[in-house]
Amino acid sequence: MPLSGPLYERVASAPPVPAGLPMVVVLTGFTDAGGAVSQMIELFREDLSPSPVVSFSADVLLDYRARRPVITFDADHLTDYRPPRLELSLVHDAIGQPFVLLAGFEPDFAWDAFTETVVGLAEGLEVATVTWVHAIPMPVPHTRPIGTTVSGTRSELTQAHSVWQPHTQVPATVGHLLEHRFAQSGAAVSGFVLLVPHYLADTDYPAAALAGLDSLSVATGLVFDADGVREENREYLAKVDDQVEGNAELTAMLRTLEERYDSYMAGSNLGQPIIHTGDLPSADELAAELERFLADRRPDDDRRSDDKRGDDKRGDDKWGRR
């Protein structure tokens, strides 16, 4: 059982957080096909230098027996202990746009208390939207775009980018519960499930991280410099292609997956994948795509702005703020 104690503590040196920012949620835990989320967290922490605002207690939330922290054995002594981290931070993207980031381990304990706390923190920070990403293995080929299943309250994203809309029961993650609680509170929340080729799910598949970053960009307008990950992906795919070409069984499997994928997409009236793993966009192409997406959203944005102005005249908005 977890120790009793405070769920989180506010960081004394935390910077002020402006109101109206997008909130991004990336949590490792139950499933992370292709290492999509873990790669994204690494990129955020190493390249974007997050400024923690709130630090959650691993001693309260984490089952150390299930997920062991890493420590280094150096010849005759121990060093470099890496405690697990779960933090709410202020971050700036590649062009300086601020956003709120909840990143780290998925809690094993106290889900209700954790989700209630996160929703309360988001309301206090007056975040504009909440977007979370995770990845699951699917029988799809790596030679086709990584598709997404999109859920939440932002129907424009679901209609545009949800390529698979199942009716099923799945083992829940705390991300699911956060989305559910945010939706109940009236927040603008969206969840992207990346559909990663099952035969690459146990590896760190760079295209999965790129698909996650691109999903965040589409949902929030944030821009991420992932040129290093793109180069890693080109090298990774070259190795995969070499293995497939040298193995008749793998070649047959890939062709079968491609035929099924193409047949499904040809008969589908659902959304379209966001990126193509074999033809990843450059920074200029990504900027152009974001401009196109924002231009497409302007009518809805205008209506939301009109609604907001009307709410201001009537009283409190759906988050209980004026």
Side-chain angles (χ1 to χ4, degrees), residues 242-263:
D242 286 343
Q243 292 185 22
V244 171
E245 290 175 3
N247 187 304
E249 184 177 349
L250 290 177
T251 299
M253 178 199 72
L254 181 60
R255 288 177 178 171
T256 299
L257 291 175
E258 288 174 337
E259 290 172 359
R260 290 177 179 175
Y261 180 98
D262 293 342
S263 176

Side-chain angles (χ1 to χ4, degrees), residues 70-74 77-82:
V70 174
I71 193 168
T72 300
F73 189 92
D74 187 3
H77 66 284
L78 298 172
T79 183
D80 193 25
Y81 173 66
R82 301 180 185 178

Side-chain angles (χ1 to χ4, degrees), residues 15-100:
V17 179
L21 300 184
M23 180 176 178
V24 169
V25 179
V26 279
L27 303 173
T28 61
F30 176 68
T31 179
D32 185 19
V37 173
S38 59
Q39 291 180 81
M40 292 167 65
I41 291 175
E42 182 179 2
L43 184 146
F44 291 152
R45 287 178 173 172
E46 292 187 358
D47 294 354
L48 301 184
S49 301
S51 298
V53 175
V54 166
S55 178
F56 288 90
S57 172
D59 282 350
V60 174
L61 295 174
L62 185 66
D63 182 355
Y64 286 94
R65 296 167 299 179
R67 285 183 282 173
R68 302 281 180 170
V70 174
I71 193 168
T72 300
F73 189 92
D74 187 3
D76 60 357
H77 66 284
L78 298 172
T79 183
D80 193 25
Y81 173 66
R82 301 180 185 178
R85 295 162 55 190
L86 175 55
E87 297 166 334
L88 186 73
S89 304
L90 177 65
V91 194
H92 293 80
D93 71 0
I95 59 175
Q97 298 180 102
F99 65 100
V100 176

Side-chain angles (χ1 to χ4, degrees), residues 212-258:
L213 293 172
D214 206 65
S215 296
L216 294 179
S217 294
V218 164
T220 65
L222 297 170
V223 177
F224 304 104
D225 181 2
D227 288 344
V229 184
R230 290 189 176 89
E231 180 58 33
E232 291 176 8
N233 190 55
R234 284 188 284 269
E235 296 174 359
Y236 181 97
L237 290 178
K239 294 177 181 178
V240 171
D241 290 340
D242 286 343
Q243 292 185 22
V244 171
E245 290 175 3
N247 187 304
E249 184 177 349
L250 290 177
T251 299
M253 178 199 72
L254 181 60
R255 288 177 178 171
T256 299
L257 291 175
E258 288 174 337

Side-chain angles (χ1 to χ4, degrees), residues 108-239:
D108 295 307
F109 304 113
W111 277 23
D112 283 337
F114 174 74
T115 53
E116 181 181 355
T117 297
V118 171
V119 171
L121 289 169
E123 290 180 354
L125 294 174
E126 302 183 33
V127 301
T129 61
V130 180
T131 308
W132 74 290
V133 176
H134 73 296
I136 63 173
M138 287 287 289
V140 293
H142 72 279
T143 51
R144 298 296 185 268
I146 290 181
T148 56
T149 290
V150 188
S151 57
T153 62
R154 299 179 63 185
S155 60
E156 77 279 7
L157 294 176
T158 301
Q159 292 170 5
H161 301 300
S162 194
V163 303
W164 184 52
Q165 297 181 8
H167 296 272
T168 186
Q169 291 183 321
V170 298
T173 70
V174 79
H176 292 114
L177 185 56
L178 277 171
E179 178 185 319
H180 185 57
R181 297 296 187 228
F182 272 118
Q184 289 179 326
S185 75
V189 59
S190 57
F192 286 80
V193 186
L194 310 177
L195 310 178
V196 176
H198 66 286
Y199 52 93
L200 302 178
D202 292 333
T203 69
D204 281 343
Y205 182 26
L210 290 169
L213 293 172
D214 206 65
S215 296
L216 294 179
S217 294
V218 164
T220 65
L222 297 170
V223 177
F224 304 104
D225 181 2
D227 288 344
V229 184
R230 290 189 176 89
E231 180 58 33
E232 291 176 8
N233 190 55
R234 284 188 284 269
E235 296 174 359
Y236 181 97
L237 290 178
K239 294 177 181 178

Side-chain angles (χ1 to χ4, degrees), residues 1-15:
M1 295 294 293
L3 298 173
S4 61
L7 196 68
Y8 71 95
E9 63 178 16
R10 294 185 180 272
V11 178
S13 60

